[in-house]
Amino acid sequence: MSCDLLHRLGWVPVALVSLGWFASAGAQEHTIIALSHTDFTAYELDPATGRIVNRFTAENQPHEAVVSPDGGTIFVTVPRDPPYVTILDAAGFEEIGRIESEHFHRPPEEGEPGTEPNTSALPHGIALNRDGTKLYIGVEGAEVPGMVVYDVGRGAVSRKIDLLLEGGHYLALDPGTDKLYYPHRDDDRVVVIDTRTDEIVKIIEVPGGPVGVAFTPGGEAWVHSDYDGTVTAIDTSTDEVVARLDTGGQGAGRIAVSPDGRFAASTRNETGNVVLIDIEKREVAGQVALGPGPGFPLFAPDSRTLYVMVRGEGEVAVVELDGDGDGHLAARHPAGETPFGGTLRYLGGR
């Protein structure tokens, strides 16, 4: 994506995201971006009514998305057939570009009998640095797994960071430090990258198949593990583990932290619920049954409303939290056939 296009869309990548976004988010209008696998479609929903206001259909399954700091551009990973990242103008949900790279491909890898060999490096996890100038794309299926770094201003891939570890499905940037945290669930490690230099600064042991990560305004990274029902808290100033908690839920999912830093939400596929955690007390505050296949949880700016993609129901579930962090199911919004990934778009930017 060229600099001219960035300016035409009104996105000048300066430091639009600051340490204060946690505090200021409460007053912001937003929409829900829901990515549905089997109908290959990204949906934008009005959170108040559930009305679908925009949609875009890709060539294959959209898996994860990230929105530019001004809310005007959406990057969506499409890991297979062919692997690419689509760039959407958020105003009209029209494709305005694609990121394609040799790093998104690998030599043929045999799959199930009767299927074509896999040649995709599986570009999946995706994140933007704080000023929106660098996009990080995980390639967990590459011969040498790692991350591709895309220079947004130049509209070109600048490098690949080789990490070697297996199972790097999701990654995220801490808005407080601009460090990137990349869990690897098959190696029980979280890789920490300094996005100023793109150098590895730490590799942290986190058991149980770490996959999801979200951040508190107080300086912690909370990591969801798929295989043992736990979440782990990491101090982002030292990158040391400071707490580990058994949620009581089971199965794959993701994690979110409320903007006010009070609660975390960990979804669990096998138990079909979202577990709500009091961050200060380091204890489970409650859980809400959602049905089969809960995926990405997303806190609204008010920190009291939680949206959860529920793949098995084809819906976005709306959970309202009470003052103690327990919650109840308040609404369900249809969102394609199998929504799992998602993000929020802040109207007018953060």
Side-chain angles (χ1 to χ4, degrees), residues 107-224:
E109 178 185 47
E110 294 297 328
E112 296 292 326
T115 64
E116 292 293 321
N118 174 47
T119 60
S120 172
L122 301 178
H124 196 287
I126 190 168
L128 274 166
N129 69 338
R130 188 160 54 196
D131 66 6
T133 58
K134 293 165 75 173
L135 184 73
Y136 293 84
I137 306 155
V139 282
E140 62 177 302
E143 275 198 298
V144 179
M147 286 188 303
V148 171
V149 184
Y150 178 80
D151 185 313
V152 176
R154 291 196 304 115
V157 170
S158 59
R159 64 177 298 189
K160 175 177 178 269
I161 304 171
D162 293 335
L163 296 176
L164 302 176
L165 300 176
E166 301 288 339
H169 212 51
Y170 175 84
L171 50 87
L173 272 110
D174 176 10
T177 65
D178 223 13
K179 290 188 294 188
L180 183 147
Y181 290 74
Y182 193 7
H184 289 73
R185 63 182 173 187
D186 295 338
D187 279 308
D188 287 343
R189 300 287 190 276
V190 176
V191 178
V192 185
I193 302 284
D194 183 339
T195 59
R196 295 168 300 176
T197 63
D198 290 337
E199 298 293 327
I200 298 171
V201 295
K202 192 87 177 263
I203 297 178
I204 308 166
E205 266 193 69
V206 176
V211 66
V213 60
F215 305 96
T216 74
E220 290 183 346
W222 279 63
V223 180
H224 164 112

Side-chain angles (χ1 to χ4, degrees), residues 242-299:
V242 293
R244 190 161 178 260
L245 174 68
D246 187 348
T247 66
Q250 294 296 322
R254 294 290 190 273
I255 193 167
V257 168
S258 61
D260 63 8
R262 291 189 61 195
F263 304 111
S266 173
T267 58
R268 297 290 169 178
N269 184 67
E270 289 182 22
T271 44
N273 64 345
V274 58
V275 179
L276 302 166
I277 301 161
D278 186 308
I279 287 176
E280 183 178 359
K281 293 179 180 178
R282 312 288 207 215
E283 65 184 26
V284 172
Q287 64 85 27
V288 179
L290 299 175
F296 276 53
L298 306 166
F299 273 100

Side-chain angles (χ1 to χ4, degrees), residues 1 6 9-18 21 28-29 66-75 90 127-135 152 178 344-350:
M1 186 161 56
L6 288 172
L9 292 176
W11 180 20
V12 181
V14 294
L16 296 176
V17 180
S18 70
W21 79 265
Q28 290 180 303
E29 298 285 341
V66 65
V67 182
S68 64
D70 72 341
T73 307
I74 307 170
F75 299 88
L128 274 166
N129 69 338
R130 188 160 54 196
D131 66 6
T133 58
K134 293 165 75 173
L135 184 73
V152 176
D178 223 13
L344 297 186
R345 175 185 171 223
Y346 291 91
L347 307 182
R350 283 182 168 173

Side-chain angles (χ1 to χ4, degrees), residues 33 35-37 40-42 56 58-67 74-88 95 99 104 120-127 135-140 148 169-171 254 296 341-343:
I33 308 298
L35 307 177
S36 178
H37 287 179
F40 301 174
T41 301
F56 172 81
E59 290 186 29
N60 211 300
Q61 295 182 357
H63 274 252
E64 294 189 22
V66 65
V67 182
I74 307 170
F75 299 88
V76 182
T77 55
V78 181
R80 291 186 183 272
D81 303 323
Y84 65 98
V85 175
T86 184
I87 305 171
L88 303 180
E95 187 175 74
I99 304 170
F104 293 170
S120 172
L122 301 178
H124 196 287
I126 190 168
L135 184 73
Y136 293 84
I137 306 155
V139 282
E140 62 177 302
V148 171
H169 212 51
Y170 175 84
L171 50 87
R254 294 290 190 273
F296 276 53
T343 189

